[in-house]
Every structure is written in C-alpha cells, then in structure tokens.
Amino acid sequence: MPVTLMGARFDYSGLHKRRRVKPRRHTDSGASIIRAQILEEVPIMIRRCLAGALVLLASAAAAGEADPLQHQLLAFGSAEVAHVPKSNLTAIYSRPEVLAADVLFTLQRGPIKLFAEYELTDHESDLERFQIGWEPSEHMVLWLGRFHQPASIWNSEYHHGQYLQTPITRPGVENWDDDGGVIPQQFTGVLAESNWNLPRGRVLRIAAGGGLTPVLTPEGLKSFDLLRPDADEHRFGYQARVALMSDQFSESGAGLVFAQEKIAWRDAPPIPFPMLRYVDFRLAGAYASYVHRSWKLQAVGYYIDAQLKGTSFRDSDLLTGYVTVEDALAHNLRVFFRREDSSHLSEAPYLRLFPRWPTARSTFAMRWDFTRRHALTAELADTYTATDHYMEYRLQWSAALL
Amino acid sequence: MECRPAVTMRRLVILLVLITRIAPSSAGERAVVLVVGAASPVQHLDSIEVRKLFLDFRVTVEKRLLHPVNNFSDPQLRDAFLQNVVAMTQWAYDQRILSKVNNEGRPLPLELESLSTVLHTLEADPQAVSFAWLKDVVGNPRLRIVRVLWQE
C-alpha cells in the first residue's frame, strides 16, 4: 500500500516478499558475460595482490634495519542498551543490547605499515579494515586493501571507534552498509591520502580511492568480505575528498567530497523494480567544521543521485545532511546536539530499498568521562523514517583499552 | 683520539645557557627539557616539530623516524607538558592520539610512568625523544638535552 509521509510517497508492498531465487544474474550481452568472468577472477587477484604486498612489506621491513619495528594494539570497547517505545527494535536496525569490541592492530617499519581492524559484537564479527600501506614521504600514504571510503565525513573521522565520538549513534546517512546505510561505505581496492602545507599555515588534505563496491541484497548493502571473498556482482566505484584545514593541528576546516559507484543486485531484483540491472550512484557533498576552545560545530550536506538502470523510474535526486554542535560543561562532561534532515524524498525511488532509513532526526547526548579513557553516555533521539516516528533512549559505556 | 672542538663548544654553550637560565632560579622554579639519547641524530627541534611529534605526526631527522616517549612519571610534569607544550587537556590529547591510530594506523606514543624506564628507553633507542624535569637529566652523560621546553 502506498504511504505518504513528510511529502514522500512510498510503496513498500513488495519489500517483504522478495524471493532469493537466482543467485547469479546474467544478461544476454557479451559485455556482461565478460564482466562476470572478470569478476570471478577478482578474489584470486585480490589475494595475490595482498600476498604480494605482504611479501614486499616483509622484504622492505627487513631492509630497513635502521628503523625498529613498531606495533600497536588498541581496542575500543562498548556496551549499550536501547529502549524504543512504540516501535519494533528489529525493524529499525537496532538492538536492545549491544556489546562490542573494535580491535585495531598496526605494524610499522620505516615507510611500510600494516593496519587491521576487526570488530566483534554480540551479533556479528567482521574484518572491517585490512590495509597495507606505503608512506613515500610524510605527506603521502598509499594503501591497498579494504578501507572505509573517504567521501564519508563522519566515518572518516570516527570509523568504528565508539569512544571517540561524543554521541552514541551516527547520522543515518553515515550508517554502515550492514546497518541500513544508503551510501556504500566499505571498499576493497586502493586508497591514496596526502596532505600539503600551504602558505599561512593552512593544510590541504586530499584522499582518493577506488575499488569493489558493495552489492545490494534483501538485507541492504553488503560489502566485499576479505575473509569470505565472493566477487559476484561487485562492481567498481571511486571516491574523493578535498579539505582545507586552518592549520595542521586544527580540526577547523571545510571540504568537498565526491563518489561514483555502480551497485548491482546479488539476488533477484526487488519486486518494485523487477527490471533493475544496477544502480548508478553518484554523491557530491560539502562540509565545514569549526572548533573553538571546547566548542565544536559541524555542518555536512550530501546530494545523492541514484539512477535505477533498466527501470522506467525517474532518477533519485535527494538532499540530506546534518548539523552538530557540542560543548564541554566541565572538563569531563560534554553535551551534544545533532539535527538531521532530508529533502526531495518523493523524488527518490532509490529510498524504497531502505524503508527504515531515518529521514529526519534530532539527537541530544550527554557524555561523562568518569575516568581516563572510559565514558558513560546517555542519548535521546526523535526519529522519523518514511513510515514511522519514534523516540529512542540509549545508554552506553565506551572505552579505549590496551 | 679525535678532537671535536666544535661539538664540545656547542655542548658547553648549551650547558652555560641552561646554567644561566636555571641557576638564578630559586629552588621552587623548575624547567621541562626535551631530552634524547647521546647517540640521537636530533640536534634541534623547533616548537612546532615538538608539538607534531607528540601529537603523533610523522617527524623525521636525517630520514629516520622519531619515536615520541611520553614521560608521565610525575603528574605535575605531565600536566605542565600537556598545557604548555602540546596546549591541550589530557582528554583532548588522548582523543587526538587515539584518532591517529584509528584514522592513520599510527602507533601511539610510548607512555611510561617510571623515570628510570624513560631514561633507559632514551639510552637504548637513538630515535626516541622525551621530556623531563631538568633536575632529573642534567649531568647524565648518556643523555643529551636538546632544548628547554618550558620554565616555571
């Protein structure tokens, strides 16, 4: 039944009736067959590249005897309870309790480094990042492996480090692929990051990456898994971020982001889009941060254009974003407010694939760092999705351990 | 035996500067100094480079990566260093260096709570750089004072 909310008209009648009948889909074009053959080779190619990079890492590390081997093991732990009256928690990508440990491991010798992140929770575990890096200079690092795409402002700053972010939740538009996110977040490929000193102390930071995009499944976006590699239907995407910072130590700055990806279906297309071949996804965004003493303000805006190739539906043109403000009431007590909103929802059939995505939300959080590297956070959120409106109450302990 | 008058003179000048800056002070006045091992390639680090180093940026001298060592053996020394050299609260400093691990895969600065361990680390690792009260390191032939970072 079509639903109208906040000016958006959505039809979800087929979303809960999807059939998983066809694990592989080929069109009759020669190009598709060739692409499928190439993609079948991708896991092997990735494994060979990573193995080669590991050999190079070992040999470079052995050659660089002047630099001792450095390593770091760090874990971000968290425990969270959530209460959402008048709503089914499982229907909003949330759980009443979450226990999580995000383990980071880094190994560096001279210009070569290895970086891995493994997240373990009471309901899933995943190798989130696995990157082999080369730093040819202090201004640049080149990575090969699985990384978080640089066009996400929030995730590039906090990743999975719950302790590092003041609120408990992230903005809906920055949700992870497997958490109801609408923007592909995790890629396997290459990533280059650089920073350049400019006159008057300013710093230009540039990041660009390219690799295998996630695929769409009935459960949402699913990124390429290095531990269980299956390149079926994964296509390629590119992202970039350019930021100008007021100085090399400051968090104040502004930037632009861009991404272009092709997102295919792994299973049968959803009933609302039976002829869908893939989604041609483009993102452009801008952001600005200003930090003054204990105050921190941030504004982020994204324009999303998603074309449902093979269907007669119009392009999905969507504007979404958020503003945040936080301050310290005392040296160990911080308050945080965030407002998320979206527009042109009625012009975005792409969102029918993500009916539980929060289209608007106001979030208030208070965080108490009760001892070094341990914090308690309480959060209250007033959330709208395309079909629902509910309040969320959360309490979390988070810490940096080891 | 090789004679190195320039180096000797330089050490003498540093010692004289330190003595003239510290000697008139009363017993209550203290100074935080940047200190390295005697074999360290570090001859000079300006205040920006010191701040970068302890904020976990990559800092090299003669193409050798420097290793910051946080001397947290004395809470007063830690507070004086963070407030006057890094210009951050401990919370903000922790957030910043933890973000470096999370975002860039940089190892955290080594954090030691025993002065003897700090001194031993500096002696053993020529790329290690730390800070200490002047009184704790002055006259130690296995260490070298690079500069005064802060004086009370």
mmCIF file of all heavy atoms in Angstrom, chain B residues 66-92:
data_model
loop_
_atom_site.group_PDB
_atom_site.id
_atom_site.type_symbol
_atom_site.label_atom_id
_atom_site.label_comp_id
_atom_site.label_asym_id
_atom_site.label_seq_id
_atom_site.Cartn_x
_atom_site.Cartn_y
_atom_site.Cartn_z
ATOM 1 N N LEU B 66 61.343 9.617 14.133
ATOM 2 C CA LEU B 66 61.492 9.812 15.577
ATOM 3 C C LEU B 66 60.360 9.131 16.338
ATOM 4 O O LEU B 66 59.228 9.050 15.848
ATOM 5 C CB LEU B 66 61.534 11.301 15.911
ATOM 6 C CG LEU B 66 62.659 12.098 15.263
ATOM 7 C CD1 LEU B 66 62.659 13.543 15.772
ATOM 8 C CD2 LEU B 66 64.023 11.464 15.528
ATOM 9 N N HIS B 67 60.677 8.672 17.548
ATOM 10 C CA HIS B 67 59.702 7.956 18.375
ATOM 11 C C HIS B 67 59.417 8.779 19.631
ATOM 12 O O HIS B 67 60.287 8.905 20.489
ATOM 13 C CB HIS B 67 60.253 6.586 18.795
ATOM 14 C CG HIS B 67 60.698 5.740 17.646
ATOM 15 N ND1 HIS B 67 61.695 4.797 17.750
ATOM 16 C CD2 HIS B 67 60.285 5.702 16.361
ATOM 17 C CE1 HIS B 67 61.875 4.213 16.586
ATOM 18 N NE2 HIS B 67 61.030 4.750 15.720
ATOM 19 N N PRO B 68 58.211 9.315 19.746
ATOM 20 C CA PRO B 68 57.898 10.090 20.949
ATOM 21 C C PRO B 68 57.702 9.173 22.165
ATOM 22 O O PRO B 68 57.089 8.122 22.059
ATOM 23 C CB PRO B 68 56.594 10.795 20.582
ATOM 24 C CG PRO B 68 55.972 9.912 19.544
ATOM 25 C CD PRO B 68 57.096 9.275 18.792
ATOM 26 N N VAL B 69 58.248 9.604 23.294
ATOM 27 C CA VAL B 69 58.094 8.853 24.550
ATOM 28 C C VAL B 69 57.500 9.801 25.586
ATOM 29 O O VAL B 69 58.149 10.782 25.982
ATOM 30 C CB VAL B 69 59.454 8.312 25.043
ATOM 31 C CG1 VAL B 69 59.281 7.578 26.376
ATOM 32 C CG2 VAL B 69 60.086 7.404 23.997
ATOM 33 N N ASN B 70 56.282 9.535 25.994
ATOM 34 C CA ASN B 70 55.634 10.382 26.993
ATOM 35 C C ASN B 70 56.114 9.994 28.389
ATOM 36 O O ASN B 70 55.881 8.871 28.851
ATOM 37 C CB ASN B 70 54.111 10.247 26.903
ATOM 38 C CG ASN B 70 53.527 11.137 25.840
ATOM 39 O OD1 ASN B 70 53.986 12.261 25.635
ATOM 40 N ND2 ASN B 70 52.525 10.642 25.146
ATOM 41 N N ASN B 71 56.799 10.938 29.032
ATOM 42 C CA ASN B 71 57.289 10.719 30.389
ATOM 43 C C ASN B 71 56.202 11.159 31.372
ATOM 44 O O ASN B 71 56.111 12.329 31.739
ATOM 45 C CB ASN B 71 58.575 11.533 30.592
ATOM 46 C CG ASN B 71 59.092 11.443 32.012
ATOM 47 O OD1 ASN B 71 58.552 10.723 32.851
ATOM 48 N ND2 ASN B 71 60.160 12.183 32.297
ATOM 49 N N PHE B 72 55.346 10.206 31.745
ATOM 50 C CA PHE B 72 54.261 10.501 32.664
ATOM 51 C C PHE B 72 54.591 9.967 34.068
ATOM 52 O O PHE B 72 53.721 9.496 34.794
ATOM 53 C CB PHE B 72 52.942 9.904 32.161
ATOM 54 C CG PHE B 72 52.359 10.649 30.976
ATOM 55 C CD1 PHE B 72 51.276 10.145 30.278
ATOM 56 C CD2 PHE B 72 52.893 11.859 30.550
ATOM 57 C CE1 PHE B 72 50.737 10.835 29.193
ATOM 58 C CE2 PHE B 72 52.367 12.560 29.461
ATOM 59 C CZ PHE B 72 51.291 12.037 28.788
ATOM 60 N N SER B 73 55.883 10.047 34.429
ATOM 61 C CA SER B 73 56.307 9.546 35.747
ATOM 62 C C SER B 73 55.851 10.478 36.864
ATOM 63 O O SER B 73 55.789 10.071 38.016
ATOM 64 C CB SER B 73 57.828 9.384 35.775
ATOM 65 O OG SER B 73 58.455 10.639 35.514
ATOM 66 N N ASP B 74 55.559 11.716 36.524
ATOM 67 C CA ASP B 74 55.153 12.697 37.527
ATOM 68 C C ASP B 74 53.917 13.435 36.986
ATOM 69 O O ASP B 74 53.991 14.051 35.916
ATOM 70 C CB ASP B 74 56.319 13.676 37.750
ATOM 71 C CG ASP B 74 55.959 14.785 38.726
ATOM 72 O OD1 ASP B 74 54.798 14.825 39.183
ATOM 73 O OD2 ASP B 74 56.849 15.616 39.013
ATOM 74 N N PRO B 75 52.791 13.391 37.678
ATOM 75 C CA PRO B 75 51.587 14.064 37.172
ATOM 76 C C PRO B 75 51.800 15.556 36.926
ATOM 77 O O PRO B 75 51.224 16.119 35.989
ATOM 78 C CB PRO B 75 50.556 13.833 38.285
ATOM 79 C CG PRO B 75 51.027 12.616 38.995
ATOM 80 C CD PRO B 75 52.519 12.636 38.927
ATOM 81 N N GLN B 76 52.641 16.193 37.729
ATOM 82 C CA GLN B 76 52.890 17.626 37.525
ATOM 83 C C GLN B 76 53.665 17.867 36.232
ATOM 84 O O GLN B 76 53.413 18.830 35.512
ATOM 85 C CB GLN B 76 53.653 18.202 38.714
ATOM 86 C CG GLN B 76 52.802 18.285 39.972
ATOM 87 C CD GLN B 76 53.542 19.004 41.088
ATOM 88 O OE1 GLN B 76 54.761 19.154 41.056
ATOM 89 N NE2 GLN B 76 52.795 19.423 42.109
ATOM 90 N N LEU B 77 54.606 16.977 35.954
ATOM 91 C CA LEU B 77 55.362 17.073 34.702
ATOM 92 C C LEU B 77 54.423 16.854 33.510
ATOM 93 O O LEU B 77 54.460 17.597 32.522
ATOM 94 C CB LEU B 77 56.479 16.023 34.696
ATOM 95 C CG LEU B 77 57.244 15.867 33.382
ATOM 96 C CD1 LEU B 77 58.028 17.127 33.051
ATOM 97 C CD2 LEU B 77 58.179 14.667 33.444
ATOM 98 N N ARG B 78 53.564 15.842 33.629
ATOM 99 C CA ARG B 78 52.598 15.550 32.553
ATOM 100 C C ARG B 78 51.711 16.770 32.292
ATOM 101 O O ARG B 78 51.539 17.200 31.154
ATOM 102 C CB ARG B 78 51.740 14.345 32.962
ATOM 103 C CG ARG B 78 50.663 13.983 31.959
ATOM 104 C CD ARG B 78 49.646 13.060 32.589
ATOM 105 N NE ARG B 78 48.947 13.741 33.667
ATOM 106 C CZ ARG B 78 48.317 13.134 34.677
ATOM 107 N NH1 ARG B 78 48.310 11.830 34.754
ATOM 108 N NH2 ARG B 78 47.709 13.838 35.613
ATOM 109 N N ASP B 79 51.170 17.344 33.369
ATOM 110 C CA ASP B 79 50.266 18.493 33.194
ATOM 111 C C ASP B 79 51.003 19.697 32.605
ATOM 112 O O ASP B 79 50.474 20.393 31.734
ATOM 113 C CB ASP B 79 49.623 18.863 34.532
ATOM 114 C CG ASP B 79 48.675 17.776 35.016
ATOM 115 O OD1 ASP B 79 48.318 16.893 34.198
ATOM 116 O OD2 ASP B 79 48.304 17.791 36.200
ATOM 117 N N ALA B 80 52.221 19.939 33.096
ATOM 118 C CA ALA B 80 52.990 21.077 32.582
ATOM 119 C C ALA B 80 53.286 20.892 31.096
ATOM 120 O O ALA B 80 53.192 21.839 30.304
ATOM 121 C CB ALA B 80 54.294 21.216 33.363
ATOM 122 N N PHE B 81 53.618 19.680 30.717
ATOM 123 C CA PHE B 81 53.928 19.408 29.307
ATOM 124 C C PHE B 81 52.684 19.569 28.428
ATOM 125 O O PHE B 81 52.724 20.243 27.389
ATOM 126 C CB PHE B 81 54.500 17.990 29.175
ATOM 127 C CG PHE B 81 54.822 17.613 27.763
ATOM 128 C CD1 PHE B 81 55.963 18.093 27.135
ATOM 129 C CD2 PHE B 81 53.986 16.775 27.045
ATOM 130 C CE1 PHE B 81 56.258 17.768 25.822
ATOM 131 C CE2 PHE B 81 54.266 16.434 25.737
ATOM 132 C CZ PHE B 81 55.412 16.934 25.122
ATOM 133 N N LEU B 82 51.583 18.948 28.846
ATOM 134 C CA LEU B 82 50.378 19.000 28.018
ATOM 135 C C LEU B 82 49.846 20.431 27.898
ATOM 136 O O LEU B 82 49.438 20.871 26.827
ATOM 137 C CB LEU B 82 49.296 18.071 28.576
ATOM 138 C CG LEU B 82 49.602 16.569 28.475
ATOM 139 C CD1 LEU B 82 48.501 15.743 29.130
ATOM 140 C CD2 LEU B 82 49.761 16.157 27.019
ATOM 141 N N GLN B 83 49.864 21.170 29.005
ATOM 142 C CA GLN B 83 49.296 22.520 28.981
ATOM 143 C C GLN B 83 50.181 23.506 28.224
ATOM 144 O O GLN B 83 49.683 24.345 27.476
ATOM 145 C CB GLN B 83 49.092 23.032 30.409
ATOM 146 C CG GLN B 83 47.926 22.365 31.123
ATOM 147 C CD GLN B 83 47.882 22.723 32.596
ATOM 148 O OE1 GLN B 83 48.492 23.691 33.027
ATOM 149 N NE2 GLN B 83 47.173 21.918 33.371
ATOM 150 N N ASN B 84 51.473 23.394 28.409
ATOM 151 C CA ASN B 84 52.367 24.436 27.905
ATOM 152 C C ASN B 84 53.080 24.090 26.603
ATOM 153 O O ASN B 84 53.528 24.988 25.894
ATOM 154 C CB ASN B 84 53.417 24.782 28.969
ATOM 155 C CG ASN B 84 52.773 25.262 30.248
ATOM 156 O OD1 ASN B 84 52.140 26.305 30.269
ATOM 157 N ND2 ASN B 84 52.902 24.479 31.313
ATOM 158 N N VAL B 85 53.186 22.831 26.303
ATOM 159 C CA VAL B 85 53.894 22.447 25.081
ATOM 160 C C VAL B 85 52.904 21.946 24.018
ATOM 161 O O VAL B 85 52.896 22.409 22.883
ATOM 162 C CB VAL B 85 54.959 21.375 25.383
ATOM 163 C CG1 VAL B 85 55.682 20.966 24.102
ATOM 164 C CG2 VAL B 85 55.951 21.903 26.416
ATOM 165 N N VAL B 86 52.058 21.007 24.405
ATOM 166 C CA VAL B 86 51.078 20.483 23.454
ATOM 167 C C VAL B 86 49.844 21.389 23.384
ATOM 168 O O VAL B 86 49.134 21.411 22.380
ATOM 169 C CB VAL B 86 50.678 19.040 23.853
ATOM 170 C CG1 VAL B 86 49.655 18.457 22.900
ATOM 171 C CG2 VAL B 86 51.910 18.146 23.860
ATOM 172 N N ALA B 87 49.606 22.150 24.448
ATOM 173 C CA ALA B 87 48.479 23.085 24.521
ATOM 174 C C ALA B 87 47.139 22.368 24.425
ATOM 175 O O ALA B 87 46.259 22.746 23.640
ATOM 176 C CB ALA B 87 48.592 24.162 23.449
ATOM 177 N N MET B 88 46.985 21.314 25.225
ATOM 178 C CA MET B 88 45.733 20.551 25.238
ATOM 179 C C MET B 88 45.495 19.994 26.636
ATOM 180 O O MET B 88 46.441 19.798 27.394
ATOM 181 C CB MET B 88 45.812 19.344 24.290
ATOM 182 C CG MET B 88 45.662 19.665 22.842
ATOM 183 S SD MET B 88 45.680 18.152 21.880
ATOM 184 C CE MET B 88 45.467 18.832 20.262
ATOM 185 N N THR B 89 44.220 19.719 26.934
ATOM 186 C CA THR B 89 43.925 18.962 28.140
ATOM 187 C C THR B 89 44.275 17.502 27.881
ATOM 188 O O THR B 89 44.430 17.091 26.721
ATOM 189 C CB THR B 89 42.433 19.061 28.493
ATOM 190 O OG1 THR B 89 41.696 18.442 27.419
ATOM 191 C CG2 THR B 89 41.989 20.501 28.658
ATOM 192 N N GLN B 90 44.368 16.736 28.946
ATOM 193 C CA GLN B 90 44.697 15.330 28.731
ATOM 194 C C GLN B 90 43.599 14.620 27.939
ATOM 195 O O GLN B 90 43.887 13.759 27.098
ATOM 196 C CB GLN B 90 44.915 14.603 30.059
ATOM 197 C CG GLN B 90 45.262 13.135 29.821
ATOM 198 C CD GLN B 90 46.035 12.508 30.933
ATOM 199 O OE1 GLN B 90 45.866 12.877 32.082
ATOM 200 N NE2 GLN B 90 46.865 11.550 30.618
ATOM 201 N N TRP B 91 42.332 14.987 28.174
ATOM 202 C CA TRP B 91 41.231 14.372 27.431
ATOM 203 C C TRP B 91 41.384 14.645 25.936
ATOM 204 O O TRP B 91 41.275 13.732 25.109
ATOM 205 C CB TRP B 91 39.895 14.906 27.950
ATOM 206 C CG TRP B 91 38.722 14.294 27.254
ATOM 207 C CD1 TRP B 91 38.110 13.118 27.553
ATOM 208 C CD2 TRP B 91 38.024 14.820 26.108
ATOM 209 N NE1 TRP B 91 37.085 12.880 26.684
ATOM 210 C CE2 TRP B 91 37.005 13.905 25.778
ATOM 211 C CE3 TRP B 91 38.169 15.968 25.334
ATOM 212 C CZ2 TRP B 91 36.127 14.111 24.710
ATOM 213 C CZ3 TRP B 91 37.294 16.166 24.262
ATOM 214 C CH2 TRP B 91 36.289 15.243 23.969
ATOM 215 N N ALA B 92 41.620 15.924 25.603
ATOM 216 C CA ALA B 92 41.753 16.284 24.184
ATOM 217 C C ALA B 92 42.979 15.614 23.566
ATOM 218 O O ALA B 92 42.941 15.170 22.408
ATOM 219 C CB ALA B 92 41.852 17.794 24.038
#
